[in-house]
């Protein structure tokens, strides 16, 4: 991501200052938690997509900075709430907010972040940006509930899988790119083009995340974790649809009843590998990456486009 970070060196300094200001609270406990969250921020991919999309379509103005802050606020809110839902005690190698402050405070912190994000746009009449990002949050919630519903039956088609990841992961990245484009240009055609670009990148990103479950690289979660949580990812869905009925029944039984048994989980991973599930998922991931790049190549070839290309390739080439 070095090219993107270099292109946005000045903009990211401005963004970080504005983001810290946006999360401040007069309540001591809340302000302490906000500082904890800010100090453990991730790679800031979504704000970079907002700012690069803005820079591709026009100038990075105050509205674009607010859009980047709003995206980061709402993304952080979803992570805080996700840790409660998933009973997760760790986030990015540190204790999660949920681990330190438990359920009630974590839920309220997530609500606070949502409210701050919404008010950031409302207070400056950024209504179109607010609409784009709020719609993404609605879609994320629907995707989470759809995944929970389907996890019970373990009967998931590829179409439903893509509906889920399009909602859960791709929608916010799509909204990030669209919001940046609109903030800088006010052009709905460019906004839709960048929304479609972001959605394709987001789908590729999630497939890559799913593939980590079948590798040995240190990615912050143990191999087989998705299987232990009964999550049907693309390599597994492909395998269940390809193997004979007897093997399918065996794999479903393991996922339902033996998903905490390390040896049985490794057996599932072995079957997925043998059936070609990994190669198939890599192929689909690369196809979405190439579709995203094709949209990007409709724009003038310049450093900003190169920065976005680098981010796209990072989503599929990353090691963690």
């Amino acid at each position: 991501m070095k090219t993107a970070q270099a292109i946005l060196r000045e903009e990211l300094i401005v963004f970080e200052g504005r983001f810290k200001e946006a999360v401040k609270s007069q309540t001591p406990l809340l302000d302490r938690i906000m500082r904890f969250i800010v100090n453990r921020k991730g790679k800031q991919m979504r704000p970079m997509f907002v700012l690069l999309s803005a820079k591709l379509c026009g100038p990075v103005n105050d509205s674009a900075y607010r859009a980047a802050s709003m995206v980061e606020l709402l993304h952080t809110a979803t992570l805080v709430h996700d840790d409660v839902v998933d009973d997760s005690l760790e986030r990015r190698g540190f204790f999660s907010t949920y681990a330190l402050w438990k359920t009630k405070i974590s839920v309220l912190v997530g609500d606070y972040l949502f409210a701050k994000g919404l008010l950031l746009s409302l207070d400056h009449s950024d209504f179109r940006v607010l609409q784009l990002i709020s719609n993404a949050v609605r879609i994320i919630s629907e995707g989470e509930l759809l995944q929970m519903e389907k996890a019970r039956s373990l009967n998931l088609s590829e179409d439903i899988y893509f509906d889920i990841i399009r909602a859960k992961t791709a929608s916010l990245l799509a909204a990030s790119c669209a919001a940046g484009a609109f903030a800088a240009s006010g052009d709905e055609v460019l906004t839709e083009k960048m929304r479609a670009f972001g959605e394709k990148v987001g789908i590729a990103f999630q497939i890559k995340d799913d593939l980590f479950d079948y590798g040995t690289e240190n990615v912050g979660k143990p191999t087989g974790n998705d299987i232990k949580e009964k999550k049907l990812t693309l390599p597994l869905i492909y395998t269940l649809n390809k193997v004979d009925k007897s093997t399918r029944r065996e794999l479903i039984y393991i996922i339902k009843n033996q998903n905490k048994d390390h040896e049985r989980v490794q057996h599932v991973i072995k079957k997925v590998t043998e059936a070609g599930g990994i190669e198939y998922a890599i192929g689909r991931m690369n196809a979405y990456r190439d579709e995203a790049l094709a949209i990007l190549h409709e724009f003038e070839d310049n450093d900003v486009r190169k920065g976005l290309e680098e981010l796209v390739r990072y989503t599929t080439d990353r090691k963690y």
Side-chain angles (χ1 to χ4, degrees):
M1 294 192 292
K2 290 181 180 178
T3 302
Q5 289 170 333
I7 292 167
L8 294 173
R9 184 179 290 111
E10 294 180 9
E11 286 85 356
L12 286 172
I13 291 170
V14 174
F15 162 74
E16 287 183 12
R18 295 194 181 194
F19 182 71
K20 286 179 183 178
E21 191 65 31
V23 299
K24 278 186 178 179
S25 170
Q26 298 302 311
T27 304
L29 172 61
L30 194 50
D31 197 49
R32 188 161 70 248
I33 296 171
M34 289 301 106
R35 289 198 302 272
F36 171 82
I37 289 172
V38 167
N39 290 336
R40 285 155 185 79
K41 62 181 180 294
K43 297 180 282 290
Q44 296 183 315
M45 275 188 63
R46 287 159 192 83
M48 282 198 286
F49 271 108
V50 173
L51 295 171
L52 282 171
S53 296
K55 215 172 174 73
L56 189 69
C57 299
V60 178
N61 51 24
D62 285 343
S63 181
Y65 283 119
R66 288 193 294 270
S69 293
M70 184 184 179
V71 164
E72 191 71 348
L73 282 163
L74 297 187
H75 175 60
T76 305
T78 63
L79 296 183
V80 171
H81 282 169
D82 280 351
D83 288 338
V84 175
V85 171
D86 297 337
D87 195 24
S88 178
L89 302 179
E90 189 176 302
R91 169 67 63 181
R92 295 167 181 153
F94 298 96
F95 284 121
S96 65
T97 306
Y98 168 66
L100 296 174
W101 287 284
K102 305 308 175 190
T103 301
K104 289 182 181 179
I105 288 177
S106 295
V107 170
L108 292 169
V109 165
D111 291 348
Y112 173 78
L113 288 164
F114 274 123
K116 291 289 281 188
L118 298 175
L119 286 169
L120 187 62
S121 286
L122 283 171
D123 288 346
H124 296 89
S125 301
D126 295 329
F127 298 124
R128 181 64 175 125
V129 170
L130 176 62
Q131 182 184 42
L132 288 164
I133 299 173
S134 298
N135 189 52
V137 174
R138 173 187 63 80
I139 294 170
I140 289 169
S141 301
E142 291 174 346
E144 288 282 2
L145 289 166
L146 178 60
Q147 184 176 56
M148 288 178 182
E149 177 189 358
K150 296 299 180 181
R152 293 172 183 165
S153 63
L154 292 182
N155 182 23
L156 195 63
S157 67
E158 262 192 45
D159 287 345
I160 296 295
Y161 165 81
F162 280 107
D163 284 345
I164 289 171
I165 68 169
R166 189 174 285 109
K168 279 188 60 182
T169 303
S171 62
L172 189 55
L173 197 52
S176 300
C177 296
F182 185 84
S185 71
D187 187 319
E188 289 290 354
V189 174
L190 286 177
T191 299
E192 173 53 28
K193 185 178 289 189
M194 293 308 295
R195 187 208 64 77
F197 161 76
E199 181 176 89
K200 292 179 187 300
V201 178
I203 292 172
F205 183 94
Q206 184 58 55
I207 296 174
K208 179 67 173 183
D209 219 41
D210 293 347
L211 283 164
F212 283 137
D213 210 44
Y214 296 89
T216 57
E217 294 168 304
N218 180 15
V219 294
K221 65 177 181 179
T223 300
N225 193 57
D226 286 338
I227 296 169
K228 292 170 187 174
E229 294 178 4
K230 302 182 184 179
K231 290 181 181 176
L232 292 185
T233 54
L234 187 56
L236 184 55
I237 293 167
Y238 174 84
T239 300
L240 291 175
N241 290 330
K242 191 172 187 293
V243 297
D244 58 70
K245 290 182 179 179
S246 174
T247 303
R248 178 186 169 88
R249 281 196 299 271
E250 177 198 26
L251 295 178
I252 289 176
Y253 181 83
I254 292 171
I255 297 164
K256 278 187 173 180
N257 304 294
Q258 299 175 325
N259 56 316
K260 305 300 181 186
D261 184 321
H262 179 72
E263 287 188 9
R264 300 305 287 157
V265 169
Q266 291 301 310
H267 176 71
V268 174
I269 292 171
K270 182 171 179 284
K271 288 293 184 183
V272 169
T273 304
E274 290 173 351
I278 307 300
E279 289 81 1
Y280 177 77
I282 290 171
R284 294 301 303 271
M285 174 186 72
N286 288 339
Y288 276 102
R289 176 202 64 197
D290 292 345
E291 288 174 16
L293 290 173
I295 293 173
L296 203 53
H297 287 170
E298 294 176 18
F299 290 88
E300 180 185 353
D301 186 4
N302 55 31
D303 286 344
V304 177
R305 196 184 89 172
K306 286 184 175 66
L308 278 166
E309 285 182 24
E310 181 192 64
L311 283 184
V312 172
R313 295 189 185 281
Y314 171 78
T315 64
T316 55
D317 298 343
R318 62 199 165 100
K319 301 299 182 184
Y320 58 93

